[in-house]
Amino acid sequence: MISYHMMDWGPMWWGTWSVFPIIWMIGYWLVFLAIAYLVYRDAESRGMNGLMWAILVVLPWIGILFLIVYLLKRDEVSGRSAESILDERYARGELTRDEYLRMKEDLRRGRE
């Protein structure tokens, strides 16, 4: 009678089944890195600090929380500059020429 013990299957078992947790872990990190890359690109296009948001998303324990915070906060920040808003207001006729030039000069002085 042939008797099989689990110890007899040791090398075969370690060679096949132990790879699955490693594959899951790599897949898990790839998903987080892909999401972090997309968040980075989106934040940069909106004039926000993309690297900060990407790093916060990569952190696996709190990444989901920061992803939710980012998605809620990203709509509040617009990528338009103060000068472009001023130009639009002048183009719509909301400002006179003197008001426009004075405000534009104030904006330039504020940067220096």
Side-chain angles (χ1 to χ4, degrees):
M1 176 158 181
I2 300 175
S3 146
Y4 292 102
H5 294 95
M6 193 154 191
M7 296 301 285
D8 294 337
W9 295 0
M12 181 183 74
W13 185 81
W14 284 107
T16 56
W17 293 103
S18 66
V19 216
F20 291 118
I22 295 170
I23 291 172
W24 277 103
M25 184 178 67
I26 291 170
Y28 176 78
W29 278 102
L30 287 176
V31 167
F32 268 99
L33 288 174
I35 292 172
Y37 176 70
L38 294 173
V39 167
Y40 170 80
R41 284 187 33 209
D42 186 62
E44 287 292 319
S45 71
R46 294 172 185 273
M48 299 170 70
N49 186 348
L51 184 61
M52 179 197 71
W53 284 106
I55 289 171
L56 293 175
V57 168
V58 167
L59 297 174
W61 298 112
I62 56 174
I64 298 297
L65 174 68
F66 279 107
L67 178 62
I68 292 168
V69 169
Y70 171 76
L71 291 174
L72 293 174
K73 185 148 179 68
R74 73 184 184 125
D75 291 334
E76 296 173 9
V77 178
S78 89
R80 299 185 325 164
S81 69
E83 279 194 30
S84 68
I85 294 171
L86 187 60
D87 292 341
E88 288 175 15
R89 289 187 61 200
Y90 181 63
R92 285 194 300 259
E94 295 176 10
L95 301 171
T96 65
R97 178 174 168 75
D98 292 334
E99 290 173 326
Y100 171 74
L101 293 174
R102 182 178 42 82
M103 289 180 180
K104 193 149 189 133
E105 184 61 33
D106 288 344
L107 287 175
R108 287 191 183 134
R109 267 191 263 130
R111 282 191 214 143
E112 296 172 359

